[in-house]
Amino acid sequence: MTWDWEFAFEIFPDILNAIGVTIGATVAAYFISLTLGLVLTLLRRSSFKPLSLFVAGVIEFIRMTPPLVQLFFVYFAFDMSPFLTGAIVLGVHYATYVSEVYRSGIESVPASQWEASKALNFSTAHTWQKVILPQAIPPVIPMLGNYLIVLFKETPLLSGIYVLEMLAVAQMIGSDTYRFLEPVTIVGFLFLVLSYPSALFIRYLEKRSGQMPGSSEKGVKT
Amino acid sequence: MFTNIGEFLPFILEGLSTTVQAFLFGAALAYSIAIVAGLARTANLAIVRVVATIFVELFRGTSLLVQMFFFAFVFPSLAPFTISTFLAGGLALGFNYGAYASEVVRGAVLSVPEGQKEAAVSLNMSKFQRMRLVILPQAFRIMLPGIGNNSIELLKGTSLVYFISLADMTYRADILRGANTALSSQVEIYTYLLFTYFVIALPLVLLTRWLEKQASKGVSTA
């Protein structure tokens, strides 16, 4: 089978149309993982041991099982739209990864910051909000950016529960015309074109964040 | 609820050997590729570096499921010979996770202090000896956590062979779901499947942690 440009141009708009669904699912899942990830991190740090152990167990379980199986589980157990199911499952799955990133950020804040806040009579909530998180989040932003790309590349999974994202459309074209070469290659090309420049940009940010004041590399001298 | 375990679980477990085989084949291929591509990216010869970089970015920049579709549906129509579904799935898993793991190898090799290389040069070691006796043993210790995590991701990734109709555990569960349409049965089926993946991943996690401990024995840390 050889590449058929005419066919490729004919189906390109159909696949490109589905890019909205792909990006929508990515953004929705990313928003869930950023917020839920923070909640998980804070719960895991709770001084109430049973709670922190329970949360740690849940995180391990989610991280160690395939997102595809989680997708099927939620899809068949709850009556939700495929799109919503996909966004929630991917969001929750990657929240467990994102929470590790937050944890590394929080652990990089020196303990003396807690002591200083206590000396100033700040409440715990106030300390988190005004002292710890503003110092913990900015250095890990590039790492968080990585998960946006990871999520983007995971969205083809959603074709498993009939979300019409790019790969699902390509597969439909393929089974209608018996030509998979063009649709699958176009999908791969679109993923590459969108994710590679973003990855380069994040690598650039990562390099730069090493030079920001307050980061662990420079600025903080003991 | 959860009354059909005697019927459902054995049916799902019939896919276990396919899941394990896909994992082992994928891991063997991935780690061979990782070492070759990882070292190639640190090579002095520019052409070697460029070829390895293109390979790695191509497989990191697109999506695993898209790659699996490519090997399963596109490749057979391009090549003059046919490949089995198992081989298609295994190749996609090996190439994709190999590309990710090559970054782990590269990072580890680069993190070995320059002085070690210089010391080996001053002892008149050949390039090959330097790599085998000085750089790699030290880099290996740094690689372990990354390789361990990559292996867990690879195991989770094997569930995607469901899409190319390879009868792994996820595929078996899907057949079971088709035959048992009651909501409680569907929840039950996917609960067993989730826990089975968890049980398989658990030794992998424990092994990684144990290896990390062993490898750091006798190494002073800052």
Side-chain angles (χ1 to χ4, degrees), chain A:
Chain A
M1 190 183 279
T2 48
W3 182 269
D4 182 345
W5 281 108
E6 206 178 314
F7 180 62
F9 279 120
E10 195 187 306
I11 60 167
F12 189 72
D14 294 333
I15 296 176
L16 202 61
N17 268 341
I19 211 166
V21 178
T22 296
I23 292 175
T26 309
V27 171
Y30 191 56
F31 178 74
I32 293 172
S33 63
L34 286 188
T35 33
L36 185 66
L38 188 59
V39 173
L40 288 176
T41 313
L42 297 179
L43 286 178
R44 200 173 177 175
R45 292 181 60 93
S46 158
S47 50
F48 182 57
K49 267 277 167 271
L51 179 66
S52 78
L53 279 178
F54 174 74
V55 172
V58 169
I59 289 177
E60 286 291 315
F61 188 82
I62 293 176
R63 279 175 67 110
M64 280 160 66
T65 50
L68 178 65
V69 179
Q70 293 165 2
L71 207 57
F72 286 146
F73 180 87
V74 175
Y75 184 64
F76 293 116
F78 301 95
D79 189 24
M80 280 190 296
S81 82
F83 182 86
L84 194 61
T85 308
I88 291 175
V89 170
L90 284 185
V92 171
H93 190 86
Y94 283 97
T96 61
Y97 288 76
V98 164
S99 97
E100 284 294 296
V101 174
Y102 285 131
R103 190 173 66 96
S104 73
I106 288 168
E107 282 173 2
S108 74
V109 178
S112 53
Q113 297 286 322
W114 277 103
E115 290 156 17
S117 308
K118 211 176 237 174
L120 290 169
N121 210 12
F122 281 10
S123 71
T124 310
H126 200 67
T127 308
W128 274 114
Q129 195 196 333
K130 295 284 179 192
V131 181
I132 308 297
L133 290 180
Q135 291 184 82
I137 307 288
V140 297
I141 284 175
M143 279 198 269
L144 293 177
N146 267 333
Y147 281 110
L148 180 63
I149 301 173
V150 171
L151 269 173
F152 175 61
K153 284 183 294 192
E154 284 284 284
T155 51
L157 282 190
L158 305 190
S159 64
I161 56 167
Y162 318 109
V163 176
L164 288 179
E165 47 68 63
M166 292 194 288
L167 190 66
V169 172
Q171 195 185 7
M172 276 164 48
I173 295 170
S175 44
D176 281 352
T177 59
Y178 300 105
R179 287 190 73 94
F180 280 96
L181 171 62
E182 293 84 358
V184 174
T185 311
I186 289 172
V187 173
F189 170 77
L190 287 173
F191 268 102
L192 197 64
V193 162
L194 282 169
S195 71
Y196 187 59
S198 327
L200 284 183
F201 178 65
I202 283 161
R203 259 175 253 176
Y204 163 77
L205 278 186
E206 234 164 273
K207 253 185 209 158
R208 266 198 42 178
S209 75
Q211 292 152 14
M212 278 199 290
S215 78
S216 54
E217 316 260 319
K218 270 186 187 172
V220 182
K221 290 263 153 56
T222 45

Side-chain angles (χ1 to χ4, degrees), chain B residues 24 37 41 67 75 142 145 166 168 187 191:
Chain B
L24 292 177
R41 291 196 68 188
Q67 289 156 21
F75 192 72
I142 304 165
L166 198 56
D168 76 323
V187 172
T191 306

